[in-house]
Amino acid sequence: MSVDMAKPDRSAPLGAATGGGGARASKNVRNARARDGGKRGEGLRALAYLTPGMSGFLLFIVLPLIASLAISFYDWSLFGGGRFVGVENYRRMLSGEDPAFWTVMRNTVVFAACYTAANLVISLGLSYWLQRVPEWLSRVLRVIFFIPVVTPMVGNALIWRLLLSDQGVVNSALEKVGISPVPFLNHPALAMGSLLVMSLWQGLGYNIVVLTAGLNGLNTSVLEAATIDGCTGAQRFFKVVFPMISPTVFFCTVMTIIGAFKVFAQPYFLTLGGPGESTNTIVLSLYRNGFSFDKLGYASSMAWVLFVIVMTVTALQFAGQKKWVNYDA
């Protein structure tokens, strides 16, 4: 009897423990479901925020890229259908059957090389000089240098055309002092030089602002230590300052080269690609082939050749940056 009476007493704690464990398990399941529901809710909100931007990216970038690649294998008219020709457009372009292609490619490479080198040297020099003038003057000059960057390219090119044309402001001033007019826009070498000068005036301000920001972030104690150690101005710039801002210079180099290969508005409005083909660039040529000569397929193939060239040059820059870019400063 005593044994039977003791059994409920021994089993009571076990039942209580079992009930408590079940409650905790149920609570854990509810918490897990709540967390999963919260994650799904966050994912839906993120999808809602990303949908407008991703839709625009797909509609206006990805799909046109795919379409242009497909069109490059066709003889495609602007207002008519297309006839599949395979790689004929690329063969005609690269084999020299179209002599204008290699001319415009040479013009583009020359312009890109000269413009990039001059832009980086001048902007870096001006940025370094702005560190040595009073702060208020540095701010005013940065604004002045940056104004051409934000003004419309078309307006700037037309103003420069009025200045440099045969009957323009510059030649009128030269005639008044007894100097014969200079064919700035009608001589092949002078036309390319005028294009470079106008483009430098237009684009210097961006690199000046970026490089100035990089110079402002330098560690002043390192510069003071270099001065105390007896470094001259040139030694301090090339051995201390330049390695510390090399990532900024690398960024400016990449962006400047990409922009130079895509030059279009300057030759289109300033020189019309002339005289002859001396200032015709690849983007201007593909524009004319597509919308003036009604050769959308050939223009698309030129665009993809330009894309491959720019990507190759950019990849080479990233591969070679380890030799001169210092990210430890």
Side-chain angles (χ1 to χ4, degrees):
M1 181 68 178
S2 61
V3 175
D4 296 337
M5 293 295 293
K7 285 182 180 179
D9 295 334
R10 288 195 300 269
S11 62
L14 180 60
T18 303
R24 286 194 296 271
S26 177
K27 184 178 180 180
N28 291 336
V29 171
R30 288 195 300 270
N31 291 338
R33 290 177 178 175
R35 286 195 298 269
D36 292 341
K39 291 180 179 178
R40 285 195 295 270
E42 291 177 357
L44 291 175
R45 284 194 297 270
L47 181 61
Y49 290 137
L50 290 174
T51 297
M54 293 302 296
S55 300
F57 177 76
L58 291 173
L59 289 175
F60 300 110
I61 295 180
V62 176
L63 290 180
L65 278 175
I66 297 174
S68 69
L69 180 61
I71 291 173
S72 69
F73 296 104
Y74 284 79
D75 180 11
W76 198 290
S77 174
L78 183 61
F79 300 105
R83 179 175 60 88
F84 183 77
V85 294
V87 296
E88 177 63 22
N89 289 326
Y90 295 96
R91 187 203 64 78
R92 177 170 176 265
M93 183 193 315
L94 301 176
S95 66
E97 187 176 330
D98 178 15
F101 173 76
W102 290 109
T103 300
V104 300
M105 180 58 66
R106 182 197 62 203
N107 294 338
T108 304
V109 171
V110 169
F111 175 85
C114 296
Y115 173 77
T116 302
N119 191 318
L120 292 175
V121 171
I122 297 173
S123 60
L124 186 57
L126 289 175
S127 301
Y128 194 62
W129 171 71
L130 288 175
Q131 303 299 304
R132 300 180 176 276
V133 301
E135 180 64 22
W136 67 269
L137 181 59
S138 175
R139 293 179 179 178
V140 171
L141 291 176
R142 285 202 300 267
V143 172
I144 294 174
F145 289 140
F146 196 73
I147 287 176
V149 179
V150 296
T151 53
M153 179 72 73
V154 175
N156 292 337
L158 292 177
I159 290 173
W160 276 82
R161 188 173 182 178
L162 291 174
L163 290 173
L164 300 178
S165 63
D166 291 342
Q167 305 299 324
V169 177
V170 175
N171 278 323
S172 297
L174 292 176
E175 286 182 350
K176 290 182 178 180
V177 296
I179 300 176
S180 59
V182 179
F184 292 106
L185 304 181
N186 293 319
H187 185 277
L190 292 178
M192 179 60 76
S194 301
L195 187 64
L196 282 169
V197 172
M198 184 263 168
S199 300
L200 287 171
W201 175 84
Q202 172 85 28
L204 274 176
Y206 178 81
N207 282 346
I208 289 175
V209 171
V210 174
L211 291 170
T212 301
L215 290 168
N216 288 336
L218 295 181
N219 190 342
T220 56
S221 61
V222 177
L223 302 178
E224 293 173 357
T227 303
I228 294 173
D229 289 342
C231 290
T232 63
Q235 289 175 335
R236 187 172 71 164
F237 177 79
F238 288 106
K239 295 184 178 181
V240 179
V241 174
F242 187 82
M244 294 173 70
I245 64 169
S246 56
T248 307
V249 177
F250 175 69
F251 169 79
C252 292
T253 303
V254 173
M255 299 304 295
T256 303
I257 289 179
I258 293 175
F261 270 100
K262 297 190 303 180
V263 61
F264 167 74
Q266 296 95 313
Y268 183 73
F269 290 102
L270 182 64
T271 63
L272 300 177
E277 300 284 348
S278 60
T279 58
N280 195 7
T281 61
I282 187 168
V283 177
L284 177 57
S285 180
L286 72 87
Y287 169 81
R288 286 175 169 172
N289 274 282
F291 298 102
S292 297
F293 305 148
D294 199 20
K295 299 178 181 178
L296 281 184
Y298 190 67
S300 297
S301 62
M302 292 182 69
W304 275 97
V305 169
L306 175 62
F307 173 78
V308 171
I309 292 173
V310 172
M311 289 296 294
T312 302
V313 172
T314 304
L316 291 175
Q317 287 179 282
F318 275 92
Q321 67 169 321
K322 298 178 181 179
K323 298 180 180 180
W324 64 279
V325 180
N326 181 18
Y327 290 101
D328 298 328

